[in-house]
Amino acid sequence: MHRLVLPTLAVLALSMAAGAHAEEGIMRVKVGDLNVHSDAGARTAFKRINIAVRNFCGPLQGYSPGYPAEVRACRKEMTDKAVSKLDAPLVTALYTPQATTQLARR
């Protein structure tokens, strides 16, 4: 069986964490031990990305009224970047699920 080994995925970005102050940082996601071309490996990689994003961007609770929106924006940006940089079709499909298709009825 062919196993693809990828190095640690590092994503550079601006974070809106730490009291809603923008900080430059590096988010790292370990995926080198996964076969992202299998369903199980892709799901694990996507879970790791989500955990890293939550840790990197911070919690949704904050002290300023705009804080949750900033954290959501950071989470979306970092997830977009991580999924794009990983460039694994199954992980991308998990992030952007296809619209369900409804079959025609008679």
mmCIF file of all heavy atoms in Angstrom, residues 11-56:
data_model
loop_
_atom_site.group_PDB
_atom_site.id
_atom_site.type_symbol
_atom_site.label_atom_id
_atom_site.label_comp_id
_atom_site.label_asym_id
_atom_site.label_seq_id
_atom_site.Cartn_x
_atom_site.Cartn_y
_atom_site.Cartn_z
ATOM 1 N N VAL A 11 1.670 27.092 8.818
ATOM 2 C CA VAL A 11 0.939 28.140 8.135
ATOM 3 C C VAL A 11 1.295 29.472 8.779
ATOM 4 O O VAL A 11 1.142 29.648 9.978
ATOM 5 C CB VAL A 11 -0.585 27.903 8.240
ATOM 6 C CG1 VAL A 11 -1.339 29.006 7.526
ATOM 7 C CG2 VAL A 11 -0.948 26.559 7.663
ATOM 8 N N LEU A 12 1.774 30.415 7.973
ATOM 9 C CA LEU A 12 2.075 31.755 8.458
ATOM 10 C C LEU A 12 0.843 32.623 8.292
ATOM 11 O O LEU A 12 0.180 32.562 7.268
ATOM 12 C CB LEU A 12 3.229 32.363 7.657
ATOM 13 C CG LEU A 12 4.547 31.615 7.715
ATOM 14 C CD1 LEU A 12 5.528 32.222 6.726
ATOM 15 C CD2 LEU A 12 5.116 31.673 9.110
ATOM 16 N N ALA A 13 0.553 33.432 9.285
ATOM 17 C CA ALA A 13 -0.620 34.303 9.171
ATOM 18 C C ALA A 13 -0.626 35.351 10.265
ATOM 19 O O ALA A 13 0.194 35.322 11.170
ATOM 20 C CB ALA A 13 -1.877 33.487 9.259
ATOM 21 N N LEU A 14 -1.575 36.248 10.146
ATOM 22 C CA LEU A 14 -1.833 37.190 11.216
ATOM 23 C C LEU A 14 -2.951 36.606 12.061
ATOM 24 O O LEU A 14 -3.977 36.188 11.547
ATOM 25 C CB LEU A 14 -2.257 38.543 10.654
ATOM 26 C CG LEU A 14 -1.175 39.306 9.920
ATOM 27 C CD1 LEU A 14 -1.752 40.596 9.349
ATOM 28 C CD2 LEU A 14 -0.024 39.624 10.845
ATOM 29 N N SER A 15 -2.753 36.616 13.346
ATOM 30 C CA SER A 15 -3.754 36.081 14.250
ATOM 31 C C SER A 15 -4.479 37.211 14.944
ATOM 32 O O SER A 15 -3.893 38.227 15.292
ATOM 33 C CB SER A 15 -3.082 35.189 15.296
ATOM 34 O OG SER A 15 -3.979 34.910 16.329
ATOM 35 N N MET A 16 -5.760 37.025 15.190
ATOM 36 C CA MET A 16 -6.545 38.009 15.923
ATOM 37 C C MET A 16 -6.717 37.564 17.380
ATOM 38 O O MET A 16 -7.658 37.946 18.039
ATOM 39 C CB MET A 16 -7.915 38.187 15.274
ATOM 40 C CG MET A 16 -7.851 38.760 13.899
ATOM 41 S SD MET A 16 -7.143 40.401 13.950
ATOM 42 C CE MET A 16 -7.235 40.829 12.246
ATOM 43 N N ALA A 17 -5.814 36.753 17.868
ATOM 44 C CA ALA A 17 -5.908 36.245 19.230
ATOM 45 C C ALA A 17 -5.253 37.209 20.210
ATOM 46 O O ALA A 17 -4.837 38.291 19.853
ATOM 47 C CB ALA A 17 -5.233 34.887 19.308
ATOM 48 N N ALA A 18 -5.151 36.783 21.441
ATOM 49 C CA ALA A 18 -4.490 37.518 22.513
ATOM 50 C C ALA A 18 -5.140 38.872 22.736
ATOM 51 O O ALA A 18 -4.555 39.920 22.519
ATOM 52 C CB ALA A 18 -3.001 37.650 22.250
ATOM 53 N N GLY A 19 -6.358 38.859 23.213
ATOM 54 C CA GLY A 19 -7.030 40.100 23.544
ATOM 55 C C GLY A 19 -7.407 40.915 22.325
ATOM 56 O O GLY A 19 -7.478 42.129 22.393
ATOM 57 N N ALA A 20 -7.634 40.282 21.227
ATOM 58 C CA ALA A 20 -8.053 40.916 19.976
ATOM 59 C C ALA A 20 -6.972 41.801 19.377
ATOM 60 O O ALA A 20 -7.246 42.677 18.587
ATOM 61 C CB ALA A 20 -9.347 41.691 20.169
ATOM 62 N N HIS A 21 -5.724 41.576 19.736
ATOM 63 C CA HIS A 21 -4.608 42.286 19.115
ATOM 64 C C HIS A 21 -4.002 41.384 18.054
ATOM 65 O O HIS A 21 -3.736 40.222 18.306
ATOM 66 C CB HIS A 21 -3.528 42.641 20.145
ATOM 67 C CG HIS A 21 -4.015 43.559 21.212
ATOM 68 N ND1 HIS A 21 -4.496 44.816 20.958
ATOM 69 C CD2 HIS A 21 -4.104 43.395 22.543
ATOM 70 C CE1 HIS A 21 -4.857 45.388 22.088
ATOM 71 N NE2 HIS A 21 -4.642 44.533 23.070
ATOM 72 N N ALA A 22 -3.779 41.957 16.886
ATOM 73 C CA ALA A 22 -3.187 41.151 15.816
ATOM 74 C C ALA A 22 -1.746 40.819 16.171
ATOM 75 O O ALA A 22 -0.979 41.672 16.557
ATOM 76 C CB ALA A 22 -3.248 41.900 14.497
ATOM 77 N N GLU A 23 -1.403 39.551 16.061
ATOM 78 C CA GLU A 23 -0.044 39.096 16.318
ATOM 79 C C GLU A 23 0.389 38.204 15.173
ATOM 80 O O GLU A 23 -0.380 37.391 14.701
ATOM 81 C CB GLU A 23 0.029 38.276 17.611
ATOM 82 C CG GLU A 23 -0.212 39.072 18.861
ATOM 83 C CD GLU A 23 -0.051 38.213 20.098
ATOM 84 O OE1 GLU A 23 0.298 37.018 19.972
ATOM 85 O OE2 GLU A 23 -0.280 38.735 21.182
ATOM 86 N N GLU A 24 1.628 38.360 14.753
ATOM 87 C CA GLU A 24 2.145 37.475 13.729
ATOM 88 C C GLU A 24 2.550 36.177 14.402
ATOM 89 O O GLU A 24 3.109 36.177 15.490
ATOM 90 C CB GLU A 24 3.337 38.111 13.043
ATOM 91 C CG GLU A 24 3.774 37.376 11.818
ATOM 92 C CD GLU A 24 4.810 38.140 11.026
ATOM 93 O OE1 GLU A 24 4.783 39.372 11.028
ATOM 94 O OE2 GLU A 24 5.645 37.474 10.427
ATOM 95 N N GLY A 25 2.238 35.082 13.784
ATOM 96 C CA GLY A 25 2.577 33.801 14.383
ATOM 97 C C GLY A 25 2.613 32.699 13.364
ATOM 98 O O GLY A 25 2.317 32.895 12.194
ATOM 99 N N ILE A 26 2.989 31.543 13.834
ATOM 100 C CA ILE A 26 3.037 30.350 13.000
ATOM 101 C C ILE A 26 2.148 29.294 13.651
ATOM 102 O O ILE A 26 2.291 29.006 14.836
ATOM 103 C CB ILE A 26 4.472 29.805 12.877
ATOM 104 C CG1 ILE A 26 5.371 30.823 12.194
ATOM 105 C CG2 ILE A 26 4.475 28.490 12.098
ATOM 106 C CD1 ILE A 26 6.835 30.422 12.181
ATOM 107 N N MET A 27 1.238 28.766 12.870
ATOM 108 C CA MET A 27 0.397 27.678 13.339
ATOM 109 C C MET A 27 0.962 26.401 12.735
ATOM 110 O O MET A 27 1.163 26.324 11.530
ATOM 111 C CB MET A 27 -1.050 27.881 12.874
ATOM 112 C CG MET A 27 -1.993 26.810 13.369
ATOM 113 S SD MET A 27 -3.686 27.035 12.783
ATOM 114 C CE MET A 27 -3.557 26.244 11.171
ATOM 115 N N ARG A 28 1.240 25.423 13.565
ATOM 116 C CA ARG A 28 1.790 24.164 13.084
ATOM 117 C C ARG A 28 0.770 23.052 13.302
ATOM 118 O O ARG A 28 0.134 22.983 14.345
ATOM 119 C CB ARG A 28 3.070 23.821 13.818
ATOM 120 C CG ARG A 28 4.184 24.811 13.560
ATOM 121 C CD ARG A 28 5.477 24.342 14.216
ATOM 122 N NE ARG A 28 6.487 25.364 14.179
ATOM 123 C CZ ARG A 28 7.268 25.625 13.147
ATOM 124 N NH1 ARG A 28 7.130 24.925 12.047
ATOM 125 N NH2 ARG A 28 8.181 26.573 13.195
ATOM 126 N N VAL A 29 0.676 22.194 12.298
ATOM 127 C CA VAL A 29 -0.212 21.035 12.364
ATOM 128 C C VAL A 29 0.590 19.826 11.915
ATOM 129 O O VAL A 29 1.076 19.782 10.791
ATOM 130 C CB VAL A 29 -1.448 21.207 11.445
ATOM 131 C CG1 VAL A 29 -2.378 20.012 11.590
ATOM 132 C CG2 VAL A 29 -2.180 22.505 11.735
ATOM 133 N N LYS A 30 0.737 18.848 12.802
ATOM 134 C CA LYS A 30 1.500 17.649 12.463
ATOM 135 C C LYS A 30 0.615 16.704 11.643
ATOM 136 O O LYS A 30 -0.417 16.231 12.114
ATOM 137 C CB LYS A 30 1.960 16.940 13.729
ATOM 138 C CG LYS A 30 2.801 15.722 13.455
ATOM 139 C CD LYS A 30 3.185 15.014 14.735
ATOM 140 C CE LYS A 30 3.908 13.726 14.390
ATOM 141 N NZ LYS A 30 3.948 12.810 15.511
ATOM 142 N N VAL A 31 1.033 16.455 10.406
ATOM 143 C CA VAL A 31 0.292 15.549 9.533
ATOM 144 C C VAL A 31 1.215 14.526 8.868
ATOM 145 O O VAL A 31 0.757 13.704 8.084
ATOM 146 C CB VAL A 31 -0.512 16.307 8.446
ATOM 147 C CG1 VAL A 31 -1.603 17.157 9.066
ATOM 148 C CG2 VAL A 31 0.398 17.145 7.583
ATOM 149 N N GLY A 32 2.489 14.582 9.166
ATOM 150 C CA GLY A 32 3.460 13.699 8.534
ATOM 151 C C GLY A 32 3.252 12.229 8.817
ATOM 152 O O GLY A 32 3.711 11.379 8.065
ATOM 153 N N ASP A 33 2.539 11.913 9.881
ATOM 154 C CA ASP A 33 2.289 10.518 10.229
ATOM 155 C C ASP A 33 0.986 9.990 9.631
ATOM 156 O O ASP A 33 0.612 8.855 9.888
ATOM 157 C CB ASP A 33 2.262 10.359 11.752
ATOM 158 C CG ASP A 33 1.157 11.178 12.409
ATOM 159 O OD1 ASP A 33 0.812 12.260 11.875
ATOM 160 O OD2 ASP A 33 0.651 10.760 13.459
ATOM 161 N N LEU A 34 0.323 10.799 8.819
ATOM 162 C CA LEU A 34 -0.982 10.427 8.285
ATOM 163 C C LEU A 34 -0.941 10.179 6.786
ATOM 164 O O LEU A 34 -0.190 10.821 6.062
ATOM 165 C CB LEU A 34 -1.999 11.546 8.548
ATOM 166 C CG LEU A 34 -2.232 11.940 9.995
ATOM 167 C CD1 LEU A 34 -3.136 13.157 10.066
ATOM 168 C CD2 LEU A 34 -2.819 10.777 10.780
ATOM 169 N N ASN A 35 -1.794 9.286 6.334
ATOM 170 C CA ASN A 35 -2.030 9.109 4.911
ATOM 171 C C ASN A 35 -3.288 9.914 4.607
ATOM 172 O O ASN A 35 -4.407 9.437 4.802
ATOM 173 C CB ASN A 35 -2.234 7.633 4.567
ATOM 174 C CG ASN A 35 -2.598 7.426 3.110
ATOM 175 O OD1 ASN A 35 -2.709 8.380 2.335
ATOM 176 N ND2 ASN A 35 -2.802 6.181 2.735
ATOM 177 N N VAL A 36 -3.103 11.143 4.147
ATOM 178 C CA VAL A 36 -4.244 12.029 3.913
ATOM 179 C C VAL A 36 -5.040 11.640 2.675
ATOM 180 O O VAL A 36 -6.034 12.284 2.352
ATOM 181 C CB VAL A 36 -3.804 13.509 3.844
ATOM 182 C CG1 VAL A 36 -3.228 13.969 5.174
ATOM 183 C CG2 VAL A 36 -2.827 13.737 2.711
ATOM 184 N N HIS A 37 -4.609 10.581 1.993
ATOM 185 C CA HIS A 37 -5.351 10.073 0.836
ATOM 186 C C HIS A 37 -6.301 8.947 1.235
ATOM 187 O O HIS A 37 -6.930 8.339 0.380
ATOM 188 C CB HIS A 37 -4.388 9.615 -0.263
ATOM 189 C CG HIS A 37 -3.572 10.757 -0.783
ATOM 190 N ND1 HIS A 37 -4.102 11.764 -1.547
ATOM 191 C CD2 HIS A 37 -2.268 11.065 -0.617
ATOM 192 C CE1 HIS A 37 -3.160 12.634 -1.842
ATOM 193 N NE2 HIS A 37 -2.043 12.230 -1.286
ATOM 194 N N SER A 38 -6.386 8.672 2.531
ATOM 195 C CA SER A 38 -7.369 7.716 3.034
ATOM 196 C C SER A 38 -8.415 8.504 3.820
ATOM 197 O O SER A 38 -8.145 9.593 4.323
ATOM 198 C CB SER A 38 -6.715 6.677 3.955
ATOM 199 O OG SER A 38 -6.368 7.256 5.197
ATOM 200 N N ASP A 39 -9.599 7.935 3.926
ATOM 201 C CA ASP A 39 -10.683 8.607 4.641
ATOM 202 C C ASP A 39 -10.294 8.876 6.097
ATOM 203 O O ASP A 39 -10.452 9.986 6.597
ATOM 204 C CB ASP A 39 -11.958 7.764 4.567
ATOM 205 C CG ASP A 39 -13.154 8.484 5.149
ATOM 206 O OD1 ASP A 39 -13.425 9.630 4.726
ATOM 207 O OD2 ASP A 39 -13.823 7.894 6.034
ATOM 208 N N ALA A 40 -9.763 7.859 6.764
ATOM 209 C CA ALA A 40 -9.388 8.005 8.177
ATOM 210 C C ALA A 40 -8.277 9.038 8.347
ATOM 211 O O ALA A 40 -8.329 9.867 9.263
ATOM 212 C CB ALA A 40 -8.958 6.664 8.752
ATOM 213 N N GLY A 41 -7.279 9.007 7.484
ATOM 214 C CA GLY A 41 -6.184 9.969 7.570
ATOM 215 C C GLY A 41 -6.640 11.388 7.310
ATOM 216 O O GLY A 41 -6.216 12.333 7.987
ATOM 217 N N ALA A 42 -7.521 11.570 6.337
ATOM 218 C CA ALA A 42 -8.044 12.897 6.021
ATOM 219 C C ALA A 42 -8.866 13.446 7.180
ATOM 220 O O ALA A 42 -8.737 14.620 7.550
ATOM 221 C CB ALA A 42 -8.884 12.849 4.750
ATOM 222 N N ARG A 43 -9.687 12.587 7.782
ATOM 223 C CA ARG A 43 -10.503 13.031 8.921
ATOM 224 C C ARG A 43 -9.615 13.418 10.109
ATOM 225 O O ARG A 43 -9.864 14.426 10.769
ATOM 226 C CB ARG A 43 -11.499 11.945 9.329
ATOM 227 C CG ARG A 43 -12.615 11.780 8.334
ATOM 228 C CD ARG A 43 -13.655 10.744 8.803
ATOM 229 N NE ARG A 43 -14.608 10.488 7.762
ATOM 230 C CZ ARG A 43 -15.629 11.283 7.451
ATOM 231 N NH1 ARG A 43 -15.797 12.391 8.127
ATOM 232 N NH2 ARG A 43 -16.456 10.974 6.476
ATOM 233 N N THR A 44 -8.588 12.643 10.357
ATOM 234 C CA THR A 44 -7.674 12.962 11.455
ATOM 235 C C THR A 44 -6.936 14.264 11.175
ATOM 236 O O THR A 44 -6.790 15.106 12.061
ATOM 237 C CB THR A 44 -6.685 11.807 11.686
ATOM 238 O OG1 THR A 44 -7.432 10.627 11.997
ATOM 239 C CG2 THR A 44 -5.714 12.108 12.809
ATOM 240 N N ALA A 45 -6.476 14.455 9.943
ATOM 241 C CA ALA A 45 -5.793 15.699 9.573
ATOM 242 C C ALA A 45 -6.715 16.892 9.764
ATOM 243 O O ALA A 45 -6.308 17.926 10.310
ATOM 244 C CB ALA A 45 -5.305 15.631 8.127
ATOM 245 N N PHE A 46 -7.960 16.755 9.344
ATOM 246 C CA PHE A 46 -8.920 17.862 9.475
ATOM 247 C C PHE A 46 -9.203 18.166 10.944
ATOM 248 O O PHE A 46 -9.298 19.328 11.341
ATOM 249 C CB PHE A 46 -10.199 17.544 8.711
ATOM 250 C CG PHE A 46 -11.123 18.716 8.580
ATOM 251 C CD1 PHE A 46 -10.718 19.868 7.912
ATOM 252 C CD2 PHE A 46 -12.389 18.676 9.113
ATOM 253 C CE1 PHE A 46 -11.558 20.953 7.793
ATOM 254 C CE2 PHE A 46 -13.247 19.756 8.996
ATOM 255 C CZ PHE A 46 -12.831 20.904 8.338
ATOM 256 N N LYS A 47 -9.298 17.132 11.770
ATOM 257 C CA LYS A 47 -9.485 17.344 13.213
ATOM 258 C C LYS A 47 -8.286 18.087 13.802
ATOM 259 O O LYS A 47 -8.444 19.007 14.606
ATOM 260 C CB LYS A 47 -9.675 16.013 13.942
ATOM 261 C CG LYS A 47 -11.030 15.402 13.768
ATOM 262 C CD LYS A 47 -11.117 14.066 14.498
ATOM 263 C CE LYS A 47 -12.400 13.343 14.145
ATOM 264 N NZ LYS A 47 -12.483 12.018 14.757
ATOM 265 N N ARG A 48 -7.083 17.678 13.399
ATOM 266 C CA ARG A 48 -5.877 18.341 13.900
ATOM 267 C C ARG A 48 -5.832 19.804 13.459
ATOM 268 O O ARG A 48 -5.406 20.675 14.224
ATOM 269 C CB ARG A 48 -4.628 17.608 13.427
ATOM 270 C CG ARG A 48 -4.431 16.268 14.100
ATOM 271 C CD ARG A 48 -3.183 15.589 13.601
ATOM 272 N NE ARG A 48 -3.049 14.238 14.123
ATOM 273 C CZ ARG A 48 -2.052 13.423 13.816
ATOM 274 N NH1 ARG A 48 -1.094 13.809 12.992
ATOM 275 N NH2 ARG A 48 -2.004 12.214 14.329
ATOM 276 N N ILE A 49 -6.246 20.070 12.237
ATOM 277 C CA ILE A 49 -6.295 21.456 11.764
ATOM 278 C C ILE A 49 -7.259 22.260 12.630
ATOM 279 O O ILE A 49 -6.939 23.368 13.073
ATOM 280 C CB ILE A 49 -6.696 21.525 10.270
ATOM 281 C CG1 ILE A 49 -5.550 21.010 9.394
ATOM 282 C CG2 ILE A 49 -7.097 22.944 9.872
ATOM 283 C CD1 ILE A 49 -5.917 20.807 7.926
ATOM 284 N N ASN A 50 -8.442 21.717 12.890
ATOM 285 C CA ASN A 50 -9.426 22.424 13.708
ATOM 286 C C ASN A 50 -8.926 22.697 15.119
ATOM 287 O O ASN A 50 -9.139 23.783 15.666
ATOM 288 C CB ASN A 50 -10.750 21.658 13.743
ATOM 289 C CG ASN A 50 -11.516 21.800 12.448
ATOM 290 O OD1 ASN A 50 -11.555 22.873 11.859
ATOM 291 N ND2 ASN A 50 -12.124 20.725 12.000
ATOM 292 N N ILE A 51 -8.245 21.736 15.710
ATOM 293 C CA ILE A 51 -7.695 21.922 17.057
ATOM 294 C C ILE A 51 -6.620 23.012 17.036
ATOM 295 O O ILE A 51 -6.596 23.895 17.893
ATOM 296 C CB ILE A 51 -7.143 20.593 17.614
ATOM 297 C CG1 ILE A 51 -8.297 19.630 17.907
ATOM 298 C CG2 ILE A 51 -6.288 20.823 18.865
ATOM 299 C CD1 ILE A 51 -7.867 18.196 18.174
ATOM 300 N N ALA A 52 -5.732 22.950 16.053
ATOM 301 C CA ALA A 52 -4.671 23.953 15.941
ATOM 302 C C ALA A 52 -5.250 25.343 15.728
ATOM 303 O O ALA A 52 -4.761 26.325 16.307
ATOM 304 C CB ALA A 52 -3.722 23.584 14.799
ATOM 305 N N VAL A 53 -6.286 25.437 14.918
ATOM 306 C CA VAL A 53 -6.924 26.732 14.654
ATOM 307 C C VAL A 53 -7.530 27.292 15.940
ATOM 308 O O VAL A 53 -7.362 28.478 16.245
ATOM 309 C CB VAL A 53 -7.987 26.595 13.537
ATOM 310 C CG1 VAL A 53 -8.916 27.786 13.498
ATOM 311 C CG2 VAL A 53 -7.311 26.405 12.193
ATOM 312 N N ARG A 54 -8.231 26.459 16.698
ATOM 313 C CA ARG A 54 -8.820 26.937 17.962
ATOM 314 C C ARG A 54 -7.734 27.405 18.925
ATOM 315 O O ARG A 54 -7.879 28.440 19.574
ATOM 316 C CB ARG A 54 -9.673 25.844 18.604
ATOM 317 C CG ARG A 54 -11.013 25.657 17.925
ATOM 318 C CD ARG A 54 -11.984 24.833 18.765
ATOM 319 N NE ARG A 54 -11.448 23.560 19.206
ATOM 320 C CZ ARG A 54 -11.569 22.413 18.538
ATOM 321 N NH1 ARG A 54 -12.212 22.382 17.398
ATOM 322 N NH2 ARG A 54 -11.053 21.305 19.010
ATOM 323 N N ASN A 55 -6.641 26.661 19.012
ATOM 324 C CA ASN A 55 -5.546 27.050 19.898
ATOM 325 C C ASN A 55 -4.863 28.331 19.414
ATOM 326 O O ASN A 55 -4.475 29.172 20.211
ATOM 327 C CB ASN A 55 -4.517 25.928 20.016
ATOM 328 C CG ASN A 55 -5.043 24.734 20.777
ATOM 329 O OD1 ASN A 55 -5.961 24.847 21.584
ATOM 330 N ND2 ASN A 55 -4.485 23.581 20.518
ATOM 331 N N PHE A 56 -4.705 28.462 18.109
ATOM 332 C CA PHE A 56 -4.006 29.599 17.527
ATOM 333 C C PHE A 56 -4.823 30.888 17.632
ATOM 334 O O PHE A 56 -4.291 31.936 17.980
ATOM 335 C CB PHE A 56 -3.685 29.309 16.057
ATOM 336 C CG PHE A 56 -2.819 30.344 15.401
ATOM 337 C CD1 PHE A 56 -1.450 30.352 15.603
ATOM 338 C CD2 PHE A 56 -3.378 31.293 14.570
ATOM 339 C CE1 PHE A 56 -0.643 31.293 14.986
ATOM 340 C CE2 PHE A 56 -2.581 32.241 13.942
ATOM 341 C CZ PHE A 56 -1.216 32.242 14.155
#
